[in-house]
């Protein structure tokens, strides 16, 4: 059985890179991997969606609606948009950040509350805040990667540079805190 | 070496292992990374051509001379290259010629969903259809041998979910490039009617042979009474769907889907057909007397792309077995759409604003085109976008049809690709149209490939043609409005005029600034001065600016690139800059 992950966010947040890191880590563990990327028009600031599947044997490169084991959102509104991919029992990971869409203003707290209420199997991860502490919003994807790696049982990909490694470790630490709080 | 490669990278490495010497393309999603990957290999001739026809001609000519050549394009690019493509089947080739065309089912980055495989049938050129990056690698590598064996061009049909899927690929080292020298063979290469008639007879015979060759690319696995015929990426969905439905079936995969191999008729008289795109395999099977259940009767959807769920549902229907599809979860709210938008600080944003003000009261027809500036649709400034060159081509037609004021907006890459010949018609008939070339120095939409705009400046061409030409800088909004008004006056007198709006792509410029260690200036809103008029977020529509609940503007500091266009349009001086702008604007201008 393959593990199916849908990763979403807004153009420029490093959704593609996050997907490639997962793929790299899975390949290093000896798994077969498929990453369905997006390029071109879909990269111009709009919603971005990348699919990752890994396992002993993988054929289909994309995840169907209702078929994701994990939905990983680097932005809260995009998390809501990706609900259609959740399969029963799937885990939803949401970065605590909203990027306002054109012409609308969403309250981050209310969004997060709505997500927690409607999908109890969700983790709200403060990747954005942690990344800013590390010096730049650019690290929010590697913080998320660190958190997610604990759920997937995947190692840290070897291509991470020093600062992304620090962000990865921060993500791991956030997971441990979240797990402790769950108990 | 086992690497996680994009399908397009795999095609490029396959071509290298196959000894490709000449590789050409015009960029287009989802095909672009093939040539981007090959660009590093300086021992080959690798070239971004002005359009797909030029690209194919270079490769076809090289192959006639005996070299191994590849050309790559997106599906609609094959329309542009269709003329030489058909001739290539008549003359055949000497060196291997591989034409890669990447389809975009469900149109993630395209204006249509056309299926490349029709071209195979129409032009008598066999079509290889890889299902994943590893297979794409192998097929690209061996395609040159196949082409040389048949003395015939070979098409490869990729799709988004092959070209833009990353998967493990086992790589072999590149083979030395195979160059060639042209040898005269006049009867074959000059398609005057007397020769072309002979070639057509030969072509029909060759096609019969190719129908057998296609059998070499056919595989069958599994057992059972049910036979499923599939090709390309659809194979992957079939594999998982068969498992999900727990059915016993023979899965026949056609590596060459045009033509369908004759030997398939020995396998079954009735089959289920699963293919991505149009029912190209299905129709061929029916013409061979095989009964099919596929797209024709709607067992599988006739548009969009397949996935495991759609294939499982279709198979269940075709085989009359029960299947309960997964039910999508309902979201707690309907999120506002986040359509693609111009990058913050995009020069096109300034150009659209300038044009809107300079033509106010004229109610122009905004004749649009394909490129980042097609996102001017968000500002209501693209009334039509159909294909590369639609701006000036269709805009001219509209102008002659009823005398409306037409503004044709076109990017620099599209200008060279499609508009150059149209300009001649505009000049010879003095068609009154305002042509606005949005020269950002790159082919930005497809990821920033070079454009000829620095080597062959637009104004040199338009001035040589005698077209009144006005050059502006789109971040200089106030000044540029006055210049464009002069161009508008020219068109009002019933003549064509050209505006060249020049400033490089912001995305590329900010990347260069980051590498140079330059700190970008940032703008913020002084809430005491902002009146909430909305000019910046409603008309300029900078995507770094949003509307607060109190209607005042807010600049997201993480997104602002310090272009200063907001400060140019704000009547109340509400935008305050932090940091210095001159050095940035200069680096940007040179980017
Ligand atoms: C025949 C054809 N070939 C390629 C493409 C892919 N494509 C879309 S827009 C574009 C060019 C964009 O460049 P430009 O006109 O300079 O505009 P920019 O994106 O830089 O603003 C290309 C190559 C296409 N749509 N049609
Ligand atoms: S990529 Fe360049 S041209 Fe395209 S929207 Fe962004 S800044 Fe503008």
């Amino acid at each position: 059985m393959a593990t199916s992950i849908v990763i979403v966010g807004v153009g420029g947040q490093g959704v593609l890179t996050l997907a490639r890191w997962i793929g790299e880590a899975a390949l290093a563990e000896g798994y077969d991997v498929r990453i369905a990327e997006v390029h071109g028009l879909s990269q111009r600031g709009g919603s971005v969606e990348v699919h990752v599947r890994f396992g002993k044997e993988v054929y289909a490169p994309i995840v169907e609606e209702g078929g994701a084991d994990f939905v990983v959102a680097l932005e809260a509104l995009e998390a809501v948009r990706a609900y259609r991919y959740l399969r029963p029992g799937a885990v939803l990971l949401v970065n605590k950040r909203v990027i306002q869409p054109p012409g609308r203003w969403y309250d981050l707290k209310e969004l997060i509350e709505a997500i927690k209420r409607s999908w109890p199997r969700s983790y709200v991860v403060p990747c954005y805040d942690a990344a800013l502490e590390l010096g730049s919003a650019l690290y929010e994807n590697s913080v998320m990667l660190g958190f997610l790696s604990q759920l997937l049982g995947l190692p840290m990909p070897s291509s991470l540079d020093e600062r992304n490694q620090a962000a990865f470790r921060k993500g791991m630490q956030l997971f441990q805190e979240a797990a402790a709080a769950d108990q | 070496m086992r690497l996680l490669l994009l399908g397009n990278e795999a095609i490029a490495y396959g071509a290298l292992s196959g000894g490709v010497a000449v590789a050409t393309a015009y960029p287009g999603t989802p095909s672009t990374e093939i040539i981007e990957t090959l660009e590093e290999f300086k021992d080959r001739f690798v070239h971004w051509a002005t359009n797909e026809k030029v690209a194919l001609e270079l490769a076809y000519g090289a192959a006639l001379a005996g070299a191994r050549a590849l050309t790559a394009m997106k599906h609609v690019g094959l329309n542009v290259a269709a003329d030489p493509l058909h001739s290539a089947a008549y003359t055949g080739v000497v060196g291997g010629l591989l034409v890669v065309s990447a389809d975009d089912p469900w149109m993630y980055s395209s204006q249509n969903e056309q299926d490349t495989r029709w071209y195979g049938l129409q032009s008598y050129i066999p079509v290889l259809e890889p299902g994943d990056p590893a297979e794409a690698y192998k097929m690209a590598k061996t395609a040159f041998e196949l082409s040389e064996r048949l003395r015939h061009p070979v098409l490869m049909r990729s799709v988004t979910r092959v070209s833009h899927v990353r998967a493990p690929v086992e790589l072999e080292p590149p083979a030395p490039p195979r160059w060639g020298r042209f040898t005269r063979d006049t009867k074959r290469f000059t398609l005057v009617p007397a020769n072309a008639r002979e070639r057509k007879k030969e072509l029909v015979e060759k096609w019969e042979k190719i129908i057998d060759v296609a059998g070499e690319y056919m595989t069958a696995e599994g057992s059972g009474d049910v036979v499923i015929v599939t090709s390309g990426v659809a194979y992957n969905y079939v594999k998982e769907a068969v498992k999900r439905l727990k059915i016993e079936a023979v899965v026949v995969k056609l590596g060459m889907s045009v033509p369908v191999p004759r030997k398939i008729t020995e396998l079954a008289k009735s089959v289920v057909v699963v293919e991505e795109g149009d029912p190209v395999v299905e129709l061929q099977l029916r013409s061979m007397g095989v009964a099919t259940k596929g797209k024709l009767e709607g067992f599988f959807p006739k548009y969009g792309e397949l996935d495991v769920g759609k294939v499982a549902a279709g198979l269940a229907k075709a085989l009359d077995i029960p299947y309960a599809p997964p039910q999508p979860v309902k979201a707690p709210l309907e999120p506002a759409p986040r359509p693609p938008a111009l990058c913050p600080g995009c020069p096109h944003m300034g150009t659209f604003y300038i044009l809107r003000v300079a033509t106010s009261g004229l109610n122009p027809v905004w004749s649009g085109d394909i490129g980042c500036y097609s996102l001017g649709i968000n500002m209501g400034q693209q009334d039509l976008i159909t294909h590369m060159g639609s701006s000036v081509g269709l805009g001219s037609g509209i102008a002659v049809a009823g005398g409306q004021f037409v503004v044709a907006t076109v990017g620099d890459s599209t200008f060279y690709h499609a508009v150059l010949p149209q300009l001649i018609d505009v000049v010879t008939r003095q068609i009154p149209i305002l042509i606005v070339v949005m020269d950002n120095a790159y082919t930005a939409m497809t990821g920033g490939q070079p454009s000829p705009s620095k080597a062959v400046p637009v104004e040199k061409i338009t001035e040589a043609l005698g077209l009144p030409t006005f050059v502006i800088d789109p971040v200089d909004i106030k000044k540029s409005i006055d210049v464009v008004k002069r161009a508008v006056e020219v068109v009002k007198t019933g003549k064509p005029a050209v505006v060249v709006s020049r400033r490089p792509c912001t995305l590329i410029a900010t990347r260069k600034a980051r590498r140079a260690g330059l700190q970008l200036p940032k703008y913020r809103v002084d809430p005491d001065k902002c009146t909430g008029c909305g000019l910046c977020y409603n008309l300029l529509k900078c995507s770094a600016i949003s509307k607060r609940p109190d209607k005042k503007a807010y600049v997201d500091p993480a997104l602002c690139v310090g272009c200063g266009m907001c400060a140019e349009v704000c009547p109340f001086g509400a935008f305050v800059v932090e940091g210095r702008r001159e050095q940035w604007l200069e680096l940007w201008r040179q980017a």
Side-chain angles (χ1 to χ4, degrees):
Chain A
M1 271 292 287
T3 301
S4 297
I5 310 169
V6 172
I7 307 172
V8 296
V10 176
Q13 280 196 296
V15 171
L16 209 56
T17 312
L18 175 54
R20 287 179 189 172
W21 280 331
I22 298 167
E24 183 192 333
L27 189 73
E29 289 293 280
Y31 291 116
D32 195 4
V33 180
R34 297 288 182 277
I35 307 172
E37 304 192 344
V38 283
H39 296 256
L41 178 60
S42 11
Q43 281 179 305
R44 292 288 159 272
S47 312
V48 179
E49 182 187 299
V50 179
H51 298 188
V52 182
R53 302 188 75 226
F54 71 90
K56 265 217 178 69
E57 198 183 57
V58 186
Y59 286 97
I62 53 173
V63 181
E64 70 202 277
E65 294 190 357
D69 302 299
F70 294 88
V71 169
V72 180
L74 288 178
E75 198 272 341
L77 208 55
E78 294 311 314
V80 177
R81 215 186 299 284
Y83 262 56
R84 65 186 193 282
Y85 285 111
L86 293 165
R87 79 158 42 136
V91 176
L92 171 65
L93 282 77
V94 193
N95 180 14
K96 207 165 125 196
R97 180 183 186 188
V98 61
I99 298 174
Q100 302 300 344
R104 283 290 293 273
W105 186 277
Y106 285 90
D107 184 74
L108 177 61
K109 246 205 188 126
E110 283 172 20
L111 264 181
I112 295 290
E113 281 311 313
I115 289 171
K116 279 202 211 151
R117 241 180 291 122
S118 57
W119 199 260
R121 287 180 67 92
S122 53
Y123 290 98
V124 178
V125 191
C127 303
Y128 182 57
D129 300 336
L132 289 183
E133 263 172 49
L134 289 159
S136 162
L138 289 176
Y139 301 116
E140 55 185 350
N141 60 351
S142 33
V143 175
M144 184 61 95
L145 178 71
F147 194 102
L148 178 65
S149 68
Q150 301 303 292
L151 286 163
L152 296 177
L154 289 178
M156 181 164 79
S158 56
S159 68
L160 293 194
D161 64 16
E162 230 169 88
R163 304 189 69 178
N164 279 306
Q165 286 181 18
F168 181 94
R169 282 191 293 270
K170 178 72 195 174
M172 282 172 62
Q173 185 200 327
L174 289 172
F175 175 79
Q176 269 127 32
E177 288 167 17
D182 268 356
Q183 276 154 17
Chain B
M1 205 171 30
R2 196 155 174 263
L3 294 175
L4 258 191
L5 288 189
L6 216 52
N8 282 341
E9 292 167 348
I11 292 170
Y13 286 112
L16 283 168
S17 304
V20 71
V22 172
T24 62
Y26 180 72
T29 314
S31 71
T32 311
E33 297 79 7
I34 299 171
I35 289 294
E36 279 182 333
T37 305
L38 290 169
E39 267 183 305
E40 284 169 41
F41 294 83
K42 304 293 179 204
D43 57 336
R44 334 255 155 165
F45 179 88
V46 181
H47 179 62
W48 287 117
T50 305
N51 66 31
E52 292 85 353
K53 176 168 179 277
V54 178
L56 173 58
E57 285 164 338
L58 276 164
Y60 175 20
L64 285 183
R68 289 192 166 177
L70 167 149
T71 187
M73 58 200 68
K74 70 181 293 167
H75 59 332
V76 289
L78 202 54
N79 301 333
V80 178
D83 197 6
L85 181 80
H86 287 69
S87 295
Y90 276 62
T91 62
V93 291
V94 180
L97 174 61
L98 175 61
V99 179
V100 183
S101 173
D103 294 359
D104 189 12
W106 205 225
M107 302 165 278
Y108 291 94
S109 288
S110 306
Q111 72 265 34
N112 76 25
E113 229 181 20
Q114 80 188 41
D115 188 325
T116 286
R117 299 174 301 170
W118 294 119
Y119 269 109
L121 287 171
Q122 142 110 358
S123 64
Y124 294 87
I125 295 177
V127 183
L128 298 173
E129 211 189 334
D132 62 25
E135 193 181 16
Y137 173 81
K138 275 191 221 135
M139 282 184 170
K141 178 175 176 248
T142 53
F144 300 106
E145 271 167 35
L146 173 69
S147 169
E148 284 165 15
R149 193 176 114 207
L150 301 172
R151 304 203 335 151
H152 206 70
V154 171
L155 266 165
M156 179 188 283
R157 183 234 192 177
S158 184
V159 292
T160 300
R161 302 313 184 175
V162 172
S163 278
H164 284 165
V165 161
R166 209 170 271 280
V169 181
E170 195 71 50
L171 281 192
E172 290 160 44
R178 295 263 200 107
W179 303 97
R181 284 175 64 80
F182 182 76
T183 313
R184 220 175 256 132
D185 190 347
T186 317
K187 282 221 162 71
R188 202 174 147 202
F189 298 153
T190 60
L191 297 176
V192 294
N195 293 339
R197 287 177 191 130
E198 291 307 309
R199 297 289 75 78
K200 178 65 193 276
K201 286 188 214 159
E202 220 177 69
L203 183 55
V204 174
E205 278 166 32
K206 218 188 214 179
W207 195 243
E208 288 301 312
K209 198 173 111 195
I210 295 173
I211 293 176
D212 288 327
V213 171
E216 298 168 19
Y217 289 83
M218 183 179 116
T219 56
E221 55 189 297
S223 59
D225 296 336
V226 177
V227 178
I228 304 169
V229 179
T230 183
S231 67
V233 73
Y235 167 76
N236 301 296
Y237 306 127
V238 169
K239 284 290 280 186
E240 293 198 16
V242 162
K243 215 168 174 183
R244 182 180 296 177
L245 296 173
K246 300 192 174 67
I247 46 181
E248 297 283 324
V250 181
V251 177
V252 179
K253 179 177 182 300
L254 303 177
M256 188 183 278
S257 49
V258 173
V260 166
R262 214 182 314 271
K263 76 175 189 193
I264 203 166
T265 53
E266 297 158 16
L267 268 172
K269 290 278 158 277
S270 162
V271 302
V272 181
V273 188
V274 188
E275 55 190 319
E276 188 83 292
D278 294 330
V280 177
V281 168
E282 191 178 13
L283 279 170
Q284 291 181 82
L285 284 168
R286 287 218 181 157
S287 76
M288 297 160 97
V290 180
T292 63
K293 284 183 176 174
K295 294 199 169 196
L296 287 170
E297 271 85 32
F299 288 99
F300 301 92
K302 293 183 185 185
Y303 57 83
E305 56 178 2
L306 298 172
D307 60 27
V308 179
K310 289 179 194 163
V311 171
L315 285 176
K317 201 155 70 170
L319 304 173
D320 209 10
I321 49 179
Y323 172 66
Q327 289 304 317
V329 173
K330 227 179 103 53
L333 59 133
E334 173 95 44
R338 203 189 297 273
L342 294 171
C343 301
C346 173
H348 299 335
M349 172 175 101
T351 308
F352 279 122
Y353 190 90
I354 292 160
L355 290 173
R356 175 188 285 256
V357 178
T359 60
S360 70
L362 290 171
N363 189 22
V365 174
W366 299 101
S367 190
D369 217 309
I370 305 207
C372 283
Y373 46 91
S374 60
L375 297 170
I377 199 168
N378 296 342
M379 292 81 139
Q381 284 175 269
Q382 297 276 283
D383 294 331
L384 58 91
I385 301 167
T386 61
H387 64 282
M388 286 187 79
S390 63
S391 55
V392 178
L394 304 188
S396 297
I398 291 168
V400 301
Q404 279 163 292
F405 192 95
V406 177
V407 181
T409 51
V410 60
D412 49 308
S413 187
T414 303
F415 176 82
Y416 301 99
H417 177 286
V419 174
L420 282 180
Q422 298 167 343
L423 278 188
I424 312 297
D425 300 75
V426 166
V427 171
T428 52
R429 293 303 298 257
Q430 286 294 299
I431 297 170
I433 179 170
L434 181 62
I435 299 172
V436 181
V437 185
M438 304 167 102
D439 179 7
N440 62 0
Y442 292 92
T443 315
M445 175 66 101
T446 46
Q449 294 73 35
S451 114
S453 87
K454 281 181 186 152
V456 191
V458 174
E459 63 271 29
K460 284 234 167 118
I461 298 168
T462 54
E463 279 165 3
L465 290 172
L467 286 163
T469 303
F470 304 82
V471 182
I472 60 168
D473 180 346
V475 297
D476 229 344
I477 291 183
K478 284 188 216 132
K479 203 167 113 198
S480 300
I481 288 172
D482 292 333
V483 178
V484 174
K485 278 184 177 159
R486 300 211 318 264
V488 168
E489 287 310 312
V490 174
V491 179
K492 277 190 185 160
T493 66
K495 290 200 168 77
V498 177
V499 169
V500 181
S501 184
R502 178 165 295 136
R503 183 158 280 271
C505 163
T506 310
L507 190 68
I508 291 170
T510 49
R511 248 184 243 148
K512 288 193 172 173
R514 208 178 301 141
R515 251 179 271 137
L518 185 80
Q519 188 80 30
L520 300 187
K522 299 255 175 240
Y523 284 77
R524 64 177 174 80
V525 178
D526 178 346
D528 293 335
K529 289 191 177 158
C530 177
T531 65
C533 74
L535 271 187
C536 56
Y537 52 75
N538 283 335
L539 285 187
L540 185 65
K541 281 218 166 163
C542 178
S543 45
I545 305 178
S546 42
K547 174 178 159 189
R548 284 184 183 277
D550 63 1
K551 293 209 176 84
K552 294 192 187 204
Y554 166 76
V555 182
D556 186 336
L559 297 178
C560 176
V561 297
C563 71
M565 287 189 248
C566 51
E568 282 271 313
V569 306
C570 177
F572 308 103
F575 288 94
V576 188
V577 65
E578 272 154 21
R580 304 230 355 247
R581 226 172 133 236
E582 296 73 29
Q583 206 187 342
W584 159 226
L585 283 185
E586 188 52 27
L587 182 147
W588 182 1
R589 205 171 57 77
Q590 314 245 349

